[in-house]
Amino acid sequence: MELINIFSAPILKTHFEVKHHWRSYFNNLDYERNQMNNAYVSSNFNVLEDMGVRVMKRKIEEIVNMYMENYLRLSNRLRITSSWVMKHKQGDFAQCHQHKNSIISGVLYLQTKKGAGNLIFNRNNFLSPSFEFDRIESTPLNTEDMEFNVDTGTLLLFPSNLHHYTDVQPFADYQRVCLAFNTFIDESIGNGDTRIELK
């Protein structure tokens, strides 16, 4: 017998060096409490458009397009369409959600430490969304949650339709800070009668 695992979720994990002046820029943004009252979010949802972090944006887009070409084996180019910063103080967390109107999303941890809350990907449709099966053991094949350990500088890229959330940030007088972003097709997609020009 042969078990063939198909349709896996491609998640890229890498390290990204965040320059000191980029950190200063993100620290000095305006923030407000979000509607869920579980985080502070930057008032600006295009934080990577500022001239002071344009080099950072270009470097992230290079990694996104390397991921598309080398790992997903797709020639479509993507560009960052929105970007924002989240700050989680003690007791804060990110609820389970997915990113709409985006192809590939990403999160870059600007400040975190062990125990400050990992990123967890979730699915609730293994075999059936209506039943809770009795697992002999949790494996990547049957699990509903897959947790990723993160450090300062961890960059994760993932398909935007993947549901994800974070653990609660438990430390007093500390903030977990991350940059999140969405992407969309740059220039064109499709061939023949399906081709769309997006310039």
Side-chain angles (χ1 to χ4, degrees):
M1 291 181 281
E2 179 183 8
L3 179 67
I4 302 171
N5 189 12
I6 65 173
F7 304 139
S8 62
I11 299 172
L12 179 74
K13 182 179 182 182
T14 188
H15 182 80
F16 189 93
E17 183 182 357
V18 181
K19 306 292 186 184
H20 177 72
H21 64 280
W22 295 342
R23 292 181 198 277
S24 297
Y25 163 73
F26 294 125
N27 285 334
N28 291 320
L29 293 173
D30 292 327
Y31 291 87
E32 55 191 46
R33 201 71 178 157
N34 68 356
Q35 285 185 333
M36 299 285 294
N37 195 30
N38 60 0
Y40 290 93
V41 62
S42 60
S43 302
N44 181 359
F45 281 84
N46 289 294
V47 298
L48 289 177
E49 294 304 313
D50 188 274
M51 289 302 296
V53 289
R54 279 292 181 91
V55 171
M56 181 183 189
K57 178 186 177 183
R58 189 165 57 249
K59 288 179 178 294
I60 292 173
E61 285 182 332
E62 287 174 2
I63 295 171
V64 169
N65 285 300
M66 179 274 298
Y67 164 77
M68 287 285 285
E69 183 176 347
N70 294 354
Y71 293 100
L72 302 188
R73 304 304 293 157
L74 299 172
S75 62
N76 304 98
R77 304 287 295 175
L78 299 181
R79 60 184 172 83
I80 293 173
T81 53
S82 59
S83 52
W84 62 99
V85 178
M86 303 289 291
K87 290 185 174 183
H88 292 108
K89 63 180 181 59
Q90 187 178 32
D92 285 348
F93 62 96
Q95 73 281 0
C96 193
H97 66 285
Q98 61 182 170
H99 292 214
K100 303 289 189 182
N101 300 323
S102 177
I103 307 296
I104 298 298
S105 293
V107 59
L108 171 60
Y109 284 82
L110 303 172
Q111 176 178 289
T112 192
K113 62 182 180 179
K114 186 175 181 179
N118 289 324
L119 183 64
I120 304 165
F121 292 95
N122 170 267
R123 64 170 180 177
N124 63 0
N125 62 352
F126 174 66
L127 296 185
S128 168
S130 304
F131 299 99
E132 177 66 33
F133 293 92
D134 303 319
R135 291 172 178 80
I136 297 170
E137 64 176 324
S138 289
T139 71
L141 187 65
N142 70 20
T143 190
E144 291 184 357
D145 292 319
M146 187 64 73
E147 185 170 351
F148 279 72
N149 295 321
V150 295
D151 299 302
T152 297
T154 296
L155 171 63
L156 288 161
L157 301 179
F158 50 91
S160 300
N161 64 350
L162 278 182
H163 285 84
H164 54 284
Y165 64 97
T166 71
D167 288 326
V168 170
Q169 198 289 99
F171 299 113
D173 302 318
Y174 185 80
Q175 289 185 326
R176 182 178 66 224
V177 184
C178 62
L179 167 73
F181 56 88
N182 289 330
T183 66
F184 202 72
I185 301 294
D186 191 22
E187 297 184 355
S188 63
I189 185 173
N191 293 291
D193 64 348
T194 67
R195 188 167 185 81
I196 300 174
E197 297 292 338
L198 299 169
K199 294 180 181 180

